[in-house]
Amino acid sequence: MQVLVTIVLIVEIAMWAIAVYSRLVRLRNNVAQAWKKLEADQSSEAVKTVYNKQVDAYNKAIAGFSGGLRRHAALGALTLPGGAGKGRAG
């Protein structure tokens, strides 16, 4: 049973990591497209606004990603059902 729980946990973590990576790649591509628009017409305020929105979205995603890692690290090891695993000492 513990092996099954461990496998499920590993699969969930892998799916989460893939989703985060995919989102970061998508945001990076959006920022690259915004740069291309900005370089093509640097005088257009609309283009600058679009670029700034994309950069803000990317920066928020990066900040949320690192914040999530800090939260998980602060929680310590996970406690598995049935008392298996190590929990955070209270």
Side-chain angles (χ1 to χ4, degrees):
M1 181 65 176
Q2 290 179 356
V3 172
L4 181 61
V5 171
T6 303
I7 291 172
V8 168
L9 183 64
I10 290 171
V11 168
E12 286 179 0
I13 291 171
M15 289 172 50
W16 172 81
I18 290 169
V20 168
Y21 178 78
S22 175
R23 174 131 172 90
L24 290 174
V25 168
R26 192 174 339 114
L27 288 170
R28 181 183 62 194
N29 291 338
N30 288 345
V31 169
Q33 288 176 348
W35 265 112
K36 287 179 185 177
K37 290 178 185 176
L38 184 63
E39 289 171 354
D41 182 15
Q42 292 185 0
S43 64
S44 172
E45 288 300 317
V47 173
K48 291 177 185 177
T49 302
V50 169
Y51 169 76
N52 288 331
K53 286 182 182 178
Q54 293 298 326
V55 169
D56 289 341
Y58 182 77
N59 289 337
K60 286 177 185 175
I62 293 293
F65 178 69
S66 62
L69 287 178
R70 281 181 270 158
R71 266 196 313 278
H72 289 297
L75 291 176
L78 294 174
T79 302
L80 299 177
K86 295 182 179 179
R88 185 173 159 174

